[in-house]
Amino acid sequence: MTEANALTIAAARDALRKGELSAVDLTMACLTAMDAGDGLNAFVHKTPEIALDQARAADARRGADAPDLNGIPLGIKDLFCTKGVPSQAASNILRGFRPEYESTVTAKLFDAGAVMLGKLNMDEFAMGSSNESSCYGPAVNPWKSDDRELTPGGSSGGSAAAVAADLCLAATGTDTGGSIRQPAAFTGIVGIKPTYGRVSRWGIVAFASSLDQAGPMTKTVRDAAIMLGAMAGHDAKDSTSADLAVPDFEAALTGDIRGKKIGIPREYRMDGMPAAIDKLWADGCAMLKDAGAEIVDISLPHTKYALPTYYVIAPAEASSNLARYDGVRYGHRAKLAQGDGITEMYEKTRAEGFGAEVQRRVMIGTYVLSAGFYDAYYNRARKVRALIKRDFEQAFAAGVDAILTPATPSAAFGLGEMANASPVEMYLNDVFTVTVNLAGLPGIAVPVGLDADGLPLGLQLIGRPWDEAGLLNHAYVLERAAGFVSKPAKWW
Amino acid sequence: MLDVTYSPPKPKVIAGARQDWELVIGMEIHAQVASNAKLFSGASTQFGAEPNSNVAFVDAAMPGMLPVINEFCVELAVRTGLGLKAAINLRSAFDRKNYFYPDLPQGYQISQLYHPIVGEGEVLVELAPGVARLVRIERIHLEQDAGKSIHDMDPTQSFVDFNRTGVALMEIVSRPDIRSAEEATAYVTKLRQILRYLGTCDGNMQNGNLRADVNVSVCPPGQYEKFQATQDFSHLGTRCEIKNMNSMRFMTQAIDYEARRQIAILEDGGTITQETRLYDPDKGETRSMRSKEEAHDYRYFPDPDLLPLEIEQAWVDDIRASMPELPDAKKARFMSGFGLTDYDANVLTADLESAGFFEAVAQGRDGKQAANWVINELFGRLNKEGLTIADTPLSAAQLGGVLDLIAAGTISGKMAKDLFDILWTEGGDPAEVAAARGMQQVTDTGAIEAALDALIAANPDQVAKAQQNAKLAGWFTGQVLKATGGKANPAVVNAMVAAKLGL
């Protein structure tokens, strides 16, 4: 038998139910793996006492009718507020912050019996695609190429690294422009961003409120279905949360997609796209076709405007959302000099507390909202966003059930490799994923193959709004056809 | 109902050293919504609580906290809009007004810039009988109040109290239709009266529950008419905004000071800088808070945490169906239904409690007499004792009982005042108290006749005088009343004197 920490949620659930495994033993295996995985810098705050308490409670309620996640050890992205446990969005400005409340998502997971191993590394305030903007330093991808240390992607880089390295069974992530799907693709795991409004944002540190969604990062599509079921649902505390019933996502994994129409958007075929990505995409099409789906070319004509639109709207909202980190009530406050007033307190606190990428986005956001530029930038971006959304609506109205695209324009790149690149080059990582956030749609990254260097590559499936069930089933078919079973060689 | 027509007042003309000037005023009233919970959180709005005791996580802008609209606040905003005869926008939206200040934890105020919940309405501001200014309302929007910074508790540190943070305000924005300080205070008074009738704001200015930002400009006579004809603001002078007035007296002083200040600058050949000013009541002057150049760039944008606020016409109709009678209608009804004078109707409709009290007294009785008793006796006594109508020891039923005794001829007016005093201090049923105290005027004509006959017989001179001059017959009435210990019914005595003397 594999080490318990390497189990999927589904396998562990079955073993726990049958009494072949105890939650405490499973948790111990994960805690051991977590400690042994310090070289990955995935966990930034460990909570073994909480984990063992929760595991013991899970063992006490173990049985055939225990919830699916009973006794399942998870890692929690540092963006989620967890009661009494440091929650600082990987930012110095929230140093020492321990919330007095539990986010809706983690509360739901814990109610379902899940075990929290600790908090996971991420880009500061979820702003980044390489986990390098974290105040804790970057998480490291368990996959390596030529001994180069690689990024696990971002912003949910710690989540991706931890799941890929079997430090936990699954992890929570959040996705504002691709922060679940890109790291999932970079580490050979599954990550789904649900429809905007499917999962409550309450208690998750906000980056860009109209784009942020939490979702599971798991080893398999089935695990994603199980965990999403526990995370999703209406929350009266989040005004943008949808009052819709949550279907049984796992039950939707029939493996039957015969007659379904898969759209291939021609605008996603980028100039200079690596051949490996191109081939992967074509392979994915063939797999779905073999499963009985119909492959159709579609057009999403406003795709080329998605990145600039995203990089107006997301920083605009962020500049406002991050105004609360002012040193007045919690988190970091700069030491002030004699004669310093309130302005100096703000300036010094925020200069010390925010990293360079966060500062850049706050400034961009402030600029695009300022008098005289609002219409040219923010308002125009809102209009383009509506057009991007309409592109998808038209595709779905024409009968498309899901859309297949690459998840990322490349495999994982080396840590530090982009240090001297322009920020825009880094932003290009999001090129296939931001449209989905702008349109509020569900999107999932599924590992499909390895590149010539032996690094995982993923494809993205995009679904109709609220049709995570159908989307997961398509992903399930793709996963089975791809038969991706590779694991990174353990070096850490 | 009376169909009252009003003519507009003449604008106030201020004589400068070189020429005449007129005032133009527009107002933004911040009225605290009469809700027990805040606009986006369940925290209490109770005034005077321990600092930072009424603060929810979202009020303190803790990470990840989200606002959820308080439906009751929306209802009261709609009710207010209907009360101001305004258009209700079934779809409105919340925007963020971004600026940094320690008493603004989020770093933004949630407000409604682009799509307010209430559109154009109007307020009729009566200034004298038959004279009124119709002030147009541009909009009403819902927004969060800020907290309170406290700078005088410590020499080196400032403190903040977030109890007020996130409390719901209605900002009621008028058009520049107000033309003098007197009109401005009358406008605030009328608005406050309507809000209190509606129950949407308690109007307590002392607690800051009703505050006004006053926009003041001056222009030469004739310019304002051009503005009204075109709505082109270039015909008007540059305005200055006096912030946060919560006293009628200071508002009057601030407007008059500001007008004189602007006139002085203009007559010296200067120009007015558009700016925000504060009134200093100690010095009796306004001073600059920040100029247009230093003005904040608030970077308004739609709040992505809140979906557009959509309400149903049926819900608005339900609110409309439950609207109370408003001051203008009540006043008209009091004048036509009870025959009150304009003045009395104004006094009795000033607030709901007074109007309700009066109406309970007047119902089924002589309205004018009821008004006299309520205004002169009851209000007079309340005033003298520093009480409000809510504290009155005398109920409407008791006062009504007194009036019934007068109407039945059981007691005289003078007795009624005595009875009023006794009821005020000791309480009791008017008829029972009057009976127990022997307060009953004599209507027994036999007793009166005997007394009068004796007087006539004993005073032939007075009889002769009265027969020459009827006015002197009052002497007999007075003597009869005196002889009967004030209990004789004066009307009966008068009639008998006239008959006996052949007048």
Side-chain angles (χ1 to χ4, degrees):
Chain A
M1 187 180 161
T2 46
E3 295 290 324
N5 53 295
L7 292 172
T8 61
I9 292 175
R13 170 188 65 184
D14 297 346
L16 286 163
R17 278 185 183 158
K18 286 186 206 148
E20 296 164 1
L21 181 66
S22 77
V24 168
D25 288 345
L26 176 59
T27 298
M28 285 301 297
C30 288
L31 291 174
T32 304
M34 176 172 77
D35 285 338
D38 284 347
L40 297 172
N41 198 26
F43 278 92
V44 294
H45 187 85
K46 299 173 182 176
T47 56
E49 295 85 2
I50 293 173
L52 287 170
D53 279 351
Q54 290 174 328
R56 279 189 285 267
D59 278 335
R61 73 195 272 202
R62 208 164 71 188
D65 46 0
D68 281 343
L69 293 181
N70 191 48
I72 302 296
L74 304 175
I76 304 297
K77 189 177 181 180
D78 200 31
L79 204 63
F80 291 79
C81 288
T82 43
K83 191 171 182 177
V85 174
S87 307
Q88 62 181 80
S91 177
N92 282 323
I93 208 156
L94 275 171
R95 191 181 298 147
F97 177 64
R98 288 170 191 256
E100 290 186 37
Y101 44 90
E102 190 71 48
S103 81
T104 297
V105 166
T106 45
K108 285 172 83 97
L109 290 171
F110 299 153
D111 285 349
V115 169
M116 173 168 72
L117 299 168
K119 303 300 282 288
L120 291 163
N121 207 347
M122 53 179 281
D123 280 293
E124 184 181 7
F125 281 106
M127 297 178 189
S129 307
S130 67
N131 212 130
E132 290 168 298
S133 70
S134 167
C135 74
Y136 301 107
V140 182
N141 195 328
W143 295 81
K144 265 191 175 179
S145 140
D146 304 334
D147 257 10
R148 275 191 309 154
E149 284 203 339
L150 304 177
T151 173
S155 67
S156 310
S159 303
V163 173
D166 291 329
L167 310 189
C168 52
L169 270 61
T172 61
T174 64
D175 189 317
T176 303
S179 282
I180 285 176
R181 291 158 289 159
Q182 183 250 23
F186 275 12
T187 55
I189 66 166
V190 173
I192 180 167
K193 181 204 89 76
T195 312
Y196 182 81
R198 178 62 98 178
V199 174
S200 170
R201 295 184 296 112
W202 193 87
I204 303 173
V205 175
F207 161 15
S209 311
S210 75
L211 300 160
D212 297 341
Q213 266 296 285
M217 300 178 72
T218 59
K219 297 172 189 179
T220 65
V221 171
R222 180 174 299 278
D223 283 5
I226 294 168
M227 190 166 156
L228 179 59
M231 294 170 73
H234 178 241
D235 181 5
K237 293 187 285 188
D238 174 359
S239 307
T240 62
S241 154
D243 194 358
L244 290 174
V246 179
D248 183 340
F249 295 125
E250 190 181 9
L253 305 181
T254 61
D256 182 3
I257 59 162
R258 283 172 300 174
K260 297 289 183 187
K261 227 186 230 185
I262 308 296
I264 307 297
R266 69 177 67 104
E267 292 80 7
Y268 282 56
R269 205 167 296 281
M270 302 279 173
D271 285 344
M273 194 153 79
I277 301 286
D278 220 20
K279 178 173 183 308
L280 187 83
W281 196 6
D283 290 349
C285 284
M287 292 171 198
L288 295 174
K289 195 171 177 188
D290 287 349
E294 182 193 346
I295 308 296
V296 293
D297 278 335
I298 62 166
S299 174
L300 301 170
H302 296 91
T303 299
K304 63 182 167 205
Y305 304 116
L307 264 186
T309 299
Y310 175 83
Y311 277 97
V312 169
I313 288 174
E317 294 181 11
S319 70
S320 177
N321 282 337
L322 269 56
R324 65 188 57 199
Y325 307 107
D326 57 5
V328 173
R329 300 169 310 289
Y330 49 77
H332 177 68
R333 180 192 292 178
K335 285 209 166 45
L336 300 182
Q338 194 69 34
D340 279 355
I342 188 68
T343 306
E344 289 76 17
M345 185 178 98
Y346 290 144
E347 289 176 355
K348 291 183 178 179
T349 296
R350 289 165 67 83
E352 290 170 13
F354 290 141
E357 183 61 28
V358 171
Q359 291 187 20
R360 176 180 298 119
R361 297 201 197 188
V362 167
M363 285 189 274
I364 292 171
T366 303
Y367 179 80
V368 299
L369 288 176
S370 59
F373 298 100
Y374 179 85
D375 283 327
Y377 290 102
Y378 186 76
N379 236 358
R380 183 167 300 183
R382 290 223 304 165
K383 287 177 192 162
V384 177
R385 181 179 186 175
L387 295 175
I388 289 167
K389 189 160 184 264
R390 201 183 62 185
D391 284 353
F392 283 103
E393 285 164 359
Q394 287 173 344
F396 291 128
V400 166
D401 293 291
I403 294 166
L404 183 72
T405 78
T408 57
S410 72
F413 50 88
L415 284 170
E417 211 169 81
M418 301 283 273
N420 297 317
S422 95
V424 174
E425 281 182 65
M426 188 68 101
Y427 298 165
L428 283 171
N429 266 288
D430 304 329
V431 66
F432 299 124
T433 48
V434 289
T435 50
V436 177
N437 299 79
L438 289 169
L441 300 172
I444 187 168
V446 182
V448 172
L450 298 175
D451 72 358
D453 298 326
L455 296 178
L457 293 172
L459 289 176
Q460 169 179 243
L461 280 159
I462 303 166
R464 297 165 175 271
W466 314 114
D467 186 26
E468 288 87 356
L471 179 67
L472 284 158
N473 191 37
H474 283 90
Y476 180 58
V477 169
L478 188 62
E479 177 187 53
R480 287 207 302 189
F484 184 92
V485 291
S486 306
K487 286 274 188 181
K490 188 165 184 298
W491 55 264
W492 56 91
Chain B
M1 204 152 93
L2 268 190
D3 207 9
V4 192
T5 52
Y6 294 93
S7 56
K10 291 216 166 7
K12 180 178 170 111
V13 177
I14 304 170
R18 295 169 186 271
Q19 62 169 99
D20 283 351
W21 297 88
E22 287 181 10
L23 261 171
V24 179
I25 298 168
M27 292 182 115
E28 291 158 21
I29 305 284
H30 296 266
Q32 180 174 325
V33 177
S35 160
N36 293 328
K38 295 182 179 182
L39 183 53
F40 296 110
S41 85
S44 165
T45 59
Q46 188 208 333
F47 180 80
E50 275 293 295
N52 294 312
S53 59
N54 293 341
V55 188
F57 290 133
V58 68
D59 304 324
M62 301 304 280
M65 294 298 94
L66 297 172
V68 177
I69 185 80
N70 176 345
E71 186 181 312
F72 185 61
C73 294
V74 178
E75 182 183 331
L76 294 196
V78 169
R79 185 176 293 272
T80 302
L82 293 174
L84 303 186
K85 299 175 189 154
I88 305 301
N89 295 323
L90 296 181
R91 187 185 164 93
S92 63
F94 289 98
D95 304 296
R96 291 185 184 177
K97 177 181 181 178
N98 295 281
Y99 65 96
F100 284 93
Y101 206 68
D103 63 21
L104 187 74
Q106 293 168 139
Y108 54 84
Q109 176 196 35
I110 305 178
S111 182
Q112 296 189 302
L113 175 69
Y114 297 111
H115 303 286
I117 183 152
V118 177
E120 295 184 323
E122 62 185 42
V123 178
L124 186 71
V125 182
E126 211 183 316
L127 297 151
V131 179
R133 179 73 72 194
L134 189 69
V135 177
R136 294 170 300 159
I137 301 297
E138 183 182 319
R139 56 186 284 159
I140 303 175
H141 60 257
L142 278 167
E143 64 182 27
Q144 296 177 301
D145 204 348
K148 197 167 86 179
S149 295
I150 304 158
H151 302 294
D152 54 6
M153 274 176 68
D154 185 284
T156 59
Q157 300 187 79
S158 291
F159 294 84
V160 273
D161 177 3
F162 297 130
N163 280 351
R164 229 191 160 91
T165 303
V167 166
L169 302 179
M170 293 177 281
E171 181 170 329
I172 305 167
V173 183
S174 86
R175 301 271 184 201
D177 292 351
I178 300 162
R179 308 300 313 282
S180 69
E182 183 205 1
E183 288 182 30
T185 53
Y187 167 71
V188 176
T189 304
K190 181 62 179 284
L191 199 55
R192 181 174 177 275
Q193 182 193 24
I194 295 172
L195 295 174
R196 287 174 54 87
Y197 264 62
L198 292 166
T200 58
C201 170
D202 72 11
N204 188 327
M205 296 185 79
Q206 219 168 359
N207 291 355
N209 297 354
L210 193 78
R211 300 151 3 219
D213 297 342
V214 189
N215 287 283
V216 178
S217 68
V218 295
C219 61
Q223 288 300 105
Y224 185 77
E225 287 67 25
K226 289 184 194 164
F227 161 73
Q228 281 296 18
T230 59
Q231 296 298 309
D232 177 353
F233 280 85
S234 68
H235 293 297
L236 300 180
T238 303
R239 67 191 158 84
C240 290
E241 183 179 23
I242 312 167
K243 278 276 190 203
N244 243 344
M245 308 293 312
N246 66 348
S247 140
M248 300 286 197
R249 189 159 61 92
F250 294 158
M251 193 184 300
T252 306
Q253 292 169 2
I255 291 169
D256 287 338
Y257 173 87
E258 182 58 21
R260 287 197 306 275
R261 187 187 72 86
Q262 293 184 15
I263 291 168
I265 290 172
L266 293 169
E267 293 201 336
D268 271 358
T271 52
I272 304 300
T273 313
Q274 187 180 329
E275 61 184 2
T276 305
R277 299 179 71 84
L278 275 182
Y279 181 66
D280 180 342
D282 296 331
K283 293 189 177 149
E285 60 187 37
T286 64
R287 62 164 181 269
S288 180
M289 209 171 130
R290 52 176 182 261
S291 70
K292 193 180 174 188
E293 288 70 37
E294 303 165 51
H296 293 117
D297 180 352
Y298 290 119
R299 292 169 284 125
Y300 278 100
F301 77 108
D303 191 324
D305 283 333
L306 293 160
L307 300 173
L309 180 59
E310 288 180 2
I311 57 176
E312 312 238 325
Q313 185 61 48
W315 189 59
V316 175
D317 292 342
D318 284 349
I319 296 172
R320 194 190 300 275
S322 72
M323 290 286 282
E325 182 184 39
L326 292 176
D328 291 344
K330 199 179 281 288
K331 179 186 167 187
R333 185 168 59 80
F334 280 11
M335 290 175 73
S336 63
F338 294 115
L340 302 194
T341 62
D342 191 285
Y343 175 84
D344 284 358
N346 271 338
V347 171
L348 290 170
T349 56
D351 59 77
L352 268 182
E353 292 81 2
S354 302
F357 192 100
F358 162 74
E359 209 164 350
V361 174
Q363 207 52 252
R365 303 193 175 95
D366 178 344
K368 287 179 88 158
Q369 188 189 26
N372 284 337
W373 274 84
V374 170
I375 293 173
N376 298 326
E377 301 310 319
L378 179 74
F379 290 178
R381 185 69 180 261
L382 288 171
N383 257 338
K384 202 168 109 189
E385 305 202 3
L387 299 173
T388 69
I389 183 81
D391 317 314
T392 175
L394 189 76
S395 71
Q398 283 174 306
L399 183 53
V402 172
L403 300 195
D404 288 344
L405 291 172
I406 299 173
T410 312
I411 59 173
S412 65
K414 171 154 187 333
M415 285 176 185
K417 288 185 186 176
D418 294 341
L419 180 57
F420 181 98
D421 276 341
I422 295 164
L423 294 172
W424 181 278
T425 48
E426 295 169 30
D429 175 74
E432 286 171 14
V433 171
R437 304 261 176 155
M439 298 173 105
Q440 181 140 22
Q441 62 186 353
V442 179
T443 44
D444 170 4
T445 46
I448 295 170
E449 190 168 9
L452 181 58
D453 285 347
L455 277 168
I456 290 171
N459 298 286
D461 293 356
Q462 290 293 342
V463 172
K465 283 184 192 168
Q467 281 168 341
Q468 280 171 4
N469 180 356
K471 284 180 186 167
L472 297 176
W475 182 85
F476 286 96
T477 305
Q479 290 301 312
V480 171
L481 290 175
K482 201 170 165 187
T484 56
K487 289 183 181 175
N489 184 334
V492 175
V493 177
N494 271 335
M496 199 177 285
V497 168
K500 293 259 177 194
L501 298 183
L503 301 176

